[in-house]
Amino acid sequence: MTIQTFPIALTIAGSDSGGGAGIQADLKTFSALGVYGSSVITAITAQNTCEVRSIHSVPIDIIEDQIRCVLEDLSIAAIKIGMMGDEATITAIAQCLSNTTQIPIVLDPVMVSKTGKMLLASDATQALMHQLIPQTTLITPNLPEAAVLCQKSEAQSLDDMYTTLDQLMGLGSQAVLLKGGHLASSDRCFDLLGTPSGIHRFESTRIKTQNTHGTGCSMASAITANLAKGFPLEQAVESAKNWLTQAIEQANRLNVGRGFGPVHHFHNLWL
């Protein structure tokens, strides 16, 4: 019998009881893209498609133990980081990952939920910027998150996005994917990937749907899965964007909840 091995990715994020974002979306994405998923849970949220009702942070020593257990045993090919919640969690993760410089790290700086709930303490941004971002291969902020990181007003145009991207590149990550989905005035969606070799612009038609819960988590996880499979960064991002576009296009087939429903992670598998 031939034994087939699959790349292994790790997600460090919060749990979404509604299943559309966070750890649940990350593991679904890994599976959909043919990557084995392992996980470290940083927080437990009580949420559905309409609201985030409550958040319980996981004790720091448990977060640290989860990370160490996974890294000691599993051959992790790429790491995705999502919701962290507070400064202590950010510091613990940064310290635990300080010796993993050979593993690509994708950071989605989760700050606010789709329904408007704050998911990162206001005093934790500096720790994120100075302790963790410099360790990352790629950060994937949306426009509101980028505005917080740059301490400026949110970009309102594609030209503004280029200016914001330039500032984000100065934070220390090897690369930045600035997601432009919040430019509501446009019928096109623009994402800018900034790397040391230049800027690549991705463009797609805006899809009219309210079922976009977990898009940020899923995009970052898809990039992570592709990096785990050995894709170069630009190809990993482009492939992830194409996959997510299809997942959003097929989201209405799921009919999950009464609010912001999830994207269809398994659109290629559930016929």
Side-chain angles (χ1 to χ4, degrees), residues 233-247:
L233 180 59
E234 186 174 312
Q235 182 185 351
V237 172
E238 184 172 18
S239 177
K241 182 171 175 61
N242 292 338
W243 172 83
L244 182 61
T245 297
Q246 294 176 54

Side-chain angles (χ1 to χ4, degrees), residues 18-72:
I23 286 285
Q24 288 80 357
D26 297 342
L27 293 176
K28 289 174 184 177
T29 301
F30 292 164
S31 295
L33 296 177
V35 171
Y36 180 89
S38 58
S39 63
V40 169
I41 298 177
T42 59
I44 300 169
T45 69
Q47 66 175 293
N48 52 32
T49 63
C50 299
E51 64 173 326
V52 178
R53 188 168 300 174
S54 59
I55 300 172
H56 174 70
S57 297
V58 172
I60 297 300
D61 59 334
I62 300 299
I63 294 174
E64 293 172 336
D65 277 351
Q66 290 179 84
I67 295 174
R68 292 179 182 130
C69 275
V70 171
L71 293 180
E72 286 170 8

Side-chain angles (χ1 to χ4, degrees), residues 156 180-190 203-206:
Q156 300 297 315
H182 285 75
L183 286 181
S185 59
S186 173
D187 61 355
R188 306 291 292 172
C189 287
F190 301 100
E203 183 176 347
S204 60
T205 302
R206 184 178 297 278

Side-chain angles (χ1 to χ4, degrees), residues 4-16:
Q4 184 176 1
T5 59
F6 295 89
I8 303 173
L10 167 64
T11 169
I12 303 174
S15 170
D16 172 6

Side-chain angles (χ1 to χ4, degrees), residues 92-221:
I93 293 171
Q95 291 175 348
C96 287
L97 298 182
S98 60
N99 294 321
T100 60
T101 54
Q102 75 283 6
I103 303 176
I105 298 175
V106 177
L107 170 63
D108 180 24
V110 177
M111 296 179 179
V112 184
S113 75
K114 184 72 68 178
T115 56
K117 179 79 170 182
M118 291 302 300
L119 300 177
L120 181 68
S122 58
D123 59 356
T125 305
Q126 291 300 311
L128 181 68
M129 292 170 61
H130 297 296
Q131 296 184 45
L132 196 52
I133 287 179
Q135 295 188 43
T136 61
T137 305
L138 176 72
I139 59 173
T140 63
N142 59 29
L143 297 186
E145 292 161 349
V148 173
L149 292 173
C150 294
Q151 298 181 314
K152 60 180 290 183
S153 58
E154 186 175 326
Q156 300 297 315
S157 67
L158 183 58
D159 287 343
D160 288 346
M161 285 182 62
Y162 278 99
T163 301
T164 300
L165 179 67
D166 186 59
Q167 289 184 251
L168 291 169
M169 290 293 290
L171 296 180
S173 180
Q174 295 176 32
V176 176
L177 177 66
L178 179 58
K179 300 175 297 187
H182 285 75
L183 286 181
S185 59
S186 173
D187 61 355
R188 306 291 292 172
C189 287
F190 301 100
D191 296 331
L192 301 179
L193 174 64
T195 70
S197 61
I199 298 174
H200 185 90
R201 188 175 86 184
F202 300 95
E203 183 176 347
S204 60
T205 302
R206 184 178 297 278
I207 300 166
K208 292 180 171 57
T209 177
Q210 73 170 10
N211 296 322
T212 55
H213 181 48
T215 51
C217 302
S218 302
M219 180 64 175
S221 296

